[in-house]
Amino acid sequence: MVLGILTAARGGTGFLDVTLKLLEGFEVTLLLFALTLVFALPLGLVIAFGSMSRFKPLKYVTRTFVWIIRGVPLMLQLFLVFYVPGMLFDLQWPTELFGMPINSRFLAALVAFVINYACYFSEIYRGGIESISRGQYEAGQVLGMSKSQIFFKVVLLQVVKRIVPPMSNEVITLVKDTALARVIIVVEIIMAAEELMSRSLIWPLFYTGVFYLLFVGILTILFGWIEKKLDYFKA
Amino acid sequence: MSVLEVKNITKSFGKTEVLSGINFSLKQGEVVAIIGSSGSGKTTLLRCLNLLERADGGSITVADEVIYDAADTGRHSEEDIRKKRLNLGLIFQSFNLFPQYTAIDNITLAPRLALGEAIKNKTVPAQEKAERLAAITQEAELLLERVGLSDRRDYYPCQLSGGQQQRVAIARALALKPALLCFDEPTSALDPELTGEVLRVIRSLKDEGRTMIVVTHEMEFARRVADRVIFMAHGVIVEEGPAEDVIGNPKSDELRAFLQKASDVNGADDKNTAK
Ligand SMILES: Nc1ncnc2c1ncn2[C@@H]1O[C@H](COP(=O)(O)OP(=O)(O)OP(=O)(O)O)[C@@H](O)[C@H]1O
Ligand SMILES: [Mg+2]
């Protein structure tokens, strides 16, 4: 009984306690993952168009930016995004957004992830778009379609089909990359598990792997389903 | 009345001049075959006609409308170019069907998009939409029947043979009712046993009275179907006239050499098939 009180004071060490604690961390992991996708997927398309622009300065600026973001460790980018505004401009990350309280560290991590992943996605988009044969565009042109009609009605779905495999790779990598957010003290699942080590528990750290595996398993099934859905045509 | 009037078209890629002053015209219902060795500029000419390539000089008139004039340096809006393009249809060597759409949808896509735009611009009242869409589909079904593919209406391009794909591509071009149809080696990407079905369709279009330009390596087809044959070499028209005269009685050394080579190739093919 004494032991029980002690454990309670230190926080639970039972399987259920640990699971609940880890779930809290995993919630942060999932939120970072989902919000990164929400913003980085469209932003990546904008960057892709920039990097394919016929306006040379825009093209080179965009490609240089992509080169830098892809060339520097994400971990470093996290540090930079979180600390540099305060160091150089005396700006602090807000703790409130549109009247809602928000974890400023989480916000900084999100911004870093969005920029980083948008650049990776942009290269996947670019590869996909550039792989569509000129004949598809020209067929649309001679049929009197506008540029945007050709893009949205002819090219886009073919691009989607081609980029599903590289996208699924990148998205699965993102699931695991979210763990990097801990370097600016965002308590995602691994950091949550590490906090349990102060209760002399090592096994929760390994237990986190189960969460990742389950989630990646779900994503794998999802992407497999999408690939199957697009199987009806060859592009 | 001339459907097409091509005046002094020139085109260079960098320093290489590919077309050096092409002049010809087409009367209503006339079929012209363009022959010539590889690199003579046949495809480039068709691309200039269809405004996929901007000619450096010269002008193009289709059905009395100037669709291109190199001397006119004013900027033309995309809208304007799109409209002018619709005077012509182009059928590619490699079909270029849209893989994600069925045969019927390949044919109706452009007309449906045009209808959507017309409704947005209020040139077509919105309440006519359903009726017009039905008309587009019906028209496309007739075209499919026309090219002998009614039973392939809902097939995707990957489920069709090359010859069938090319016939869908022809129907797709016809759906926009162009005044002039251009074919760029429509059978060159096909297995020999599939060329016949496509050539038959083109021939039937001639019987319907359509005006067409066919770039082809099929001399037999040119001789039998074309009213006129144009022989191109190094960016100029070297010989031009009734098919029998040009192919049957070549005047220039270049055409003689070209026909000799063409018949050698065909002869070799015949021997292969005889085996
Ligand atoms: N976009 C381009 N840029 C540079 N050169 C080009 C381009 N398109 C065509 N050419 C050149 O123009 C010349 C004529 O090409 P074109 O495709 O018109 O010939 P063709 O008569 O259609 O030949 P083929 O019978 O092989 O189809 C060739 O020398 C080709 O290399
Ligand atoms: Mg050619």
Side-chain angles (χ1 to χ4, degrees):
Chain A
M1 213 188 112
V2 175
L3 208 73
I5 290 165
L6 269 179
T7 357
R10 288 167 53 207
T13 56
F15 184 73
L16 193 64
D17 295 314
V18 168
T19 304
L20 287 176
K21 172 90 178 142
L22 290 186
L23 267 178
E24 260 171 53
F26 196 53
E27 210 177 299
V28 175
T29 298
L30 286 183
L31 196 63
L32 185 56
F33 168 80
L35 289 176
T36 300
L37 285 187
V38 166
F39 294 110
L41 286 171
L43 182 61
L45 196 58
V46 174
I47 296 174
F49 283 130
S51 70
M52 291 185 291
S53 172
R54 266 191 282 178
F55 179 57
K56 291 267 165 67
L58 176 62
K59 175 169 135 178
Y60 290 127
V61 166
T62 316
R63 292 208 178 180
T64 308
F65 181 73
V66 171
W67 169 64
I68 292 171
I69 297 295
R70 296 206 309 165
V72 173
L74 176 53
M75 191 189 283
L76 189 56
Q77 290 168 30
L78 282 159
F79 283 130
L80 285 170
V81 168
F82 185 60
Y83 291 112
V84 165
M87 279 161 48
L88 292 188
F89 310 107
D90 211 21
L91 288 169
Q92 295 307 317
W93 280 91
T95 50
E96 197 188 83
L97 210 59
F98 308 119
M100 292 211 308
I102 182 161
N103 181 333
S104 60
R105 293 170 179 277
F106 180 85
L107 189 63
L110 179 61
V111 168
F113 270 89
V114 167
I115 294 173
N116 186 274
Y117 269 81
C119 286
Y120 277 97
F121 291 154
S122 81
E123 286 294 282
I124 294 177
Y125 291 141
R126 186 165 72 85
I129 292 171
E130 287 180 346
S131 74
I132 303 300
S133 80
R134 211 174 54 159
Q136 289 290 306
Y137 292 92
E138 292 181 346
Q141 280 175 292
V142 296
L143 292 168
M145 295 187 200
S146 69
K147 281 194 181 122
S148 76
Q149 287 172 342
I150 293 172
F151 183 75
F152 288 105
K153 298 291 176 176
V154 173
V155 174
L156 187 60
L157 194 62
Q158 297 181 50
V159 171
V160 169
K161 182 180 166 90
R162 288 188 193 189
I163 66 175
V164 168
M167 268 297 180
S168 85
N169 255 331
E170 210 57 60
V171 167
I172 284 169
T173 304
L174 171 61
V175 176
K176 294 163 290 173
D177 271 0
T178 53
L180 285 170
R182 59 144 307 155
V183 299
I184 53 171
I185 327 295
V186 172
V187 189
E188 45 64 64
I189 185 167
I190 292 197
M191 190 153 186
E194 276 189 67
E195 283 176 356
L196 288 171
M197 288 171 82
S198 62
R199 301 180 199 170
S200 309
L201 293 174
I202 297 287
W203 63 267
L205 195 56
F206 304 112
Y207 180 28
T208 61
V210 176
F211 288 78
Y212 284 107
L213 281 175
L214 280 178
F215 188 54
V216 168
I218 292 168
L219 287 176
T220 307
I221 291 169
L222 182 71
F223 277 107
W225 178 78
I226 294 174
E227 268 184 57
K228 206 152 194 169
K229 276 273 153 193
L230 291 172
D231 233 14
Y232 68 91
F233 72 93
K234 287 203 179 69
Chain B
M1 179 193 124
S2 81
V3 171
L4 175 71
E5 194 79 48
V6 177
K7 285 204 190 112
N8 211 19
I9 291 287
T10 56
K11 175 74 190 173
S12 303
F13 291 110
K15 287 207 178 76
T16 17
E17 192 169 60
V18 176
L19 298 176
S20 336
I22 301 285
N23 290 285
F24 70 96
S25 63
L26 248 79
K27 286 201 284 289
Q28 176 69 42
E30 205 178 7
V31 177
V32 164
I34 301 182
I35 60 173
S37 49
S38 184
S40 54
K42 306 179 299 291
T43 296
T44 307
L45 175 59
L46 286 193
R47 292 173 59 82
C48 286
L49 296 184
N50 283 277
L51 310 179
L52 288 175
E53 216 75 73
R54 289 178 61 96
D56 303 325
S59 68
I60 302 161
T61 310
V62 178
D64 292 326
E65 186 190 357
V66 179
I67 64 161
Y68 184 79
D69 188 351
D72 172 11
T73 50
R75 263 191 67 85
H76 292 276
S77 67
E78 192 199 344
E79 289 297 305
D80 199 29
I81 296 173
R82 283 173 59 200
K83 255 217 235 90
K84 291 186 161 151
R85 268 199 188 114
L86 288 177
N87 288 299
L88 298 96
L90 177 62
I91 283 103
F92 300 86
Q93 184 174 339
S94 50
F95 331 133
N96 293 335
L97 290 183
F98 306 131
Q100 73 269 44
Y101 295 117
T102 57
I104 186 98
D105 287 343
N106 262 279
I107 299 170
T108 58
L109 180 65
R112 277 187 284 128
L113 291 172
L115 175 64
E117 275 179 284
I119 288 173
K120 217 156 139 207
N121 305 335
K122 306 218 187 305
T123 46
V124 169
Q127 61 266 33
E128 279 181 28
K129 187 174 178 188
E131 191 186 321
R132 299 254 185 157
L133 279 176
I136 287 172
T137 307
Q138 199 184 3
E139 167 78 19
E141 281 166 350
L142 283 175
L143 287 168
L144 272 176
E145 198 182 315
R146 184 78 202 58
V147 298
L149 288 172
S150 293
D151 57 336
R152 295 290 185 272
R153 184 188 188 278
D154 299 313
Y155 282 47
Y156 289 95
C158 63
Q159 300 169 315
L160 298 172
S161 74
Q164 292 169 336
Q165 288 188 51
Q166 192 61 299
R167 285 187 280 154
V168 173
I170 293 172
R172 181 174 71 171
L174 288 173
L176 293 163
K177 306 183 173 67
L180 171 69
L181 271 181
C182 305
F183 295 81
D184 189 7
E185 301 192 30
T187 59
S188 291
L190 298 176
D191 293 336
E193 69 270 21
L194 297 177
T195 61
E197 60 190 63
V198 172
L199 295 179
R200 266 195 298 282
V201 168
I202 298 175
R203 185 177 194 134
S204 73
L205 292 174
K206 175 195 162 80
D207 297 340
E208 252 177 32
R210 295 204 186 254
T211 317
M212 299 188 280
I213 302 179
V214 186
V215 171
T216 186
H217 285 302
E218 307 269 344
M219 290 308 135
E220 209 26 55
F221 175 75
R223 190 200 283 265
R224 279 189 293 141
V225 176
D227 300 303
R228 212 143 46 89
V229 170
I230 288 176
F231 170 64
M232 278 179 70
H234 44 79
V236 295
I237 295 180
V238 178
E239 285 194 43
E240 176 180 5
E244 273 314 317
D245 292 1
V246 174
I247 297 177
N249 183 20
K251 295 186 182 54
S252 60
D253 291 341
E254 276 156 316
L255 180 51
R256 253 189 301 262
F258 173 76
L259 290 173
Q260 183 61 43
K261 232 191 279 166
S263 70
D264 281 355
V265 171
N266 285 338
D269 277 356
D270 290 347
K271 262 177 239 148
N272 284 340
T273 40
K275 255 186 240 169

